[in-house]
Amino acid sequence: TDKLSKELNNAYKYFDDSRCIKILANINNKSDRKKIITIARKKFSKIDGLINNAAISIPNVAEKYSLKDWGITMETNLTSSFFLSQEVVKFMIKNKISGSIINITSLASNFGMPNNPAYVASKGGLKYLSKAMALDWGKFNIRVNNICPGYIKTNMTSSSFSKVSIRNQRSKRTILNKWGNSEDLVGAAVYLISDASSYVTGTELKIDGGWSAKGL
């Protein structure tokens, strides 16, 4: 908890205090999900957008993958996104708010990736869950879309990025011949969360440097 608090405080330094709040919470805990909604409502009076970005990755070969690692990966990457979305949507419906939900998936939602079966399954599930939520909640004018990042330099991918051979191998799989940065996702998020995308739902926006489009 001390480590997480420190990381949260470090991240908070980059935000404007008047427009941002920090909440230390376990996204897999029902009461913590409700706490997030309650605090956000008190601060901003309404909620009209949600970005589900919480995720973990526990690599291992499929034949040795444990039930424990499978369960926590699914709970964090897939289940929590649905139930936090559900909490937000209940508030939106009750208050007749048009809203937008963005789920952060992965290249792994479109391709087989080695030695991480739970991560691939959870991100693939999230991709298609988004379509189901878009269909169910469209009648309330609540849109649901995905952002599908390629290899982005983050804390989660730092070990791969630090290995020159792996970094270069993955860079060459893209059209732009490079990894992305977290800032590369900002424009897509602003577009999908705002009214600029008011006629867009049930789809995904790939931010992968051209990985998905590249052939030979």
Side-chain angles (χ1 to χ4, degrees):
T1 302
D2 290 341
K3 180 182 178 182
L4 292 175
S5 296
K6 183 178 179 180
E7 291 179 357
L8 180 61
N9 289 333
N10 288 337
Y12 190 70
K13 295 176 184 177
Y14 297 95
F15 293 92
D16 180 348
D17 285 352
S18 66
R19 303 177 64 186
C20 180
I21 51 177
K22 56 181 176 180
I23 306 169
L24 185 63
N26 179 356
I27 200 71
N28 294 331
N29 185 291
K30 181 178 179 180
S31 61
D32 277 11
R33 290 194 294 265
K34 288 182 177 294
K35 179 177 75 172
I36 292 170
I37 304 304
T38 299
I39 295 174
R41 285 173 56 187
K42 288 180 179 179
K43 173 69 175 181
F44 302 111
S45 74
K46 74 172 186 176
I47 300 171
D48 54 11
L50 170 67
I51 300 176
N52 287 307
N53 189 43
I56 59 172
S57 174
I58 308 176
N60 201 354
V61 294
E63 63 271 21
K64 296 182 180 179
Y65 213 86
S66 72
L67 180 61
K68 178 183 177 181
D69 289 346
W70 178 275
I72 189 63
T73 301
M74 288 296 177
E75 188 175 16
T76 305
N77 297 3
L78 180 59
T79 305
S80 69
S81 294
F82 173 71
F83 284 104
L84 185 57
S85 297
Q86 185 185 70
E87 287 294 328
V88 168
V89 166
K90 286 178 182 178
F91 174 77
M92 290 176 175
I93 293 172
K94 181 179 179 181
N95 293 278
K96 295 181 171 58
I97 296 172
S98 299
S100 174
I101 296 172
I102 300 172
N103 291 319
I104 307 299
T105 60
S106 165
L107 277 176
S109 68
N110 295 309
F111 301 97
M113 298 291 186
N115 302 327
N116 209 334
Y119 184 81
V120 173
S122 66
K123 289 299 186 177
L126 185 59
K127 173 182 176 178
Y128 286 98
L129 173 63
S130 298
K131 294 179 183 293
M133 294 194 298
L135 183 59
D136 287 343
W137 295 333
K139 59 180 173 288
F140 302 112
N141 204 25
I142 296 169
R143 299 179 294 106
V144 185
N145 292 289
N146 295 328
I147 290 177
C148 176
Y151 278 97
I152 306 294
K153 184 182 177 183
T154 64
N155 289 339
M156 184 185 288
T157 61
S158 59
S159 61
S160 296
F161 187 84
S162 64
K163 298 174 183 175
V164 176
S165 61
I166 294 177
R167 182 172 75 239
N168 291 341
Q169 180 187 46
R170 292 175 179 173
S171 294
K172 289 176 181 178
R173 287 291 302 271
T174 71
I175 292 175
L176 298 180
N177 197 35
K178 64 178 182 178
W179 286 48
N181 295 305
S182 55
E183 291 80 4
D184 293 320
L185 304 180
V186 173
V190 170
Y191 169 67
L192 289 175
I193 208 73
S194 72
D195 289 339
S197 58
S198 61
Y199 199 52
V200 178
T201 195
T203 191
E204 69 176 359
L205 183 54
K206 297 182 178 71
I207 313 295
D208 64 0
W211 179 300
S212 302
K214 188 175 181 180
L216 296 177

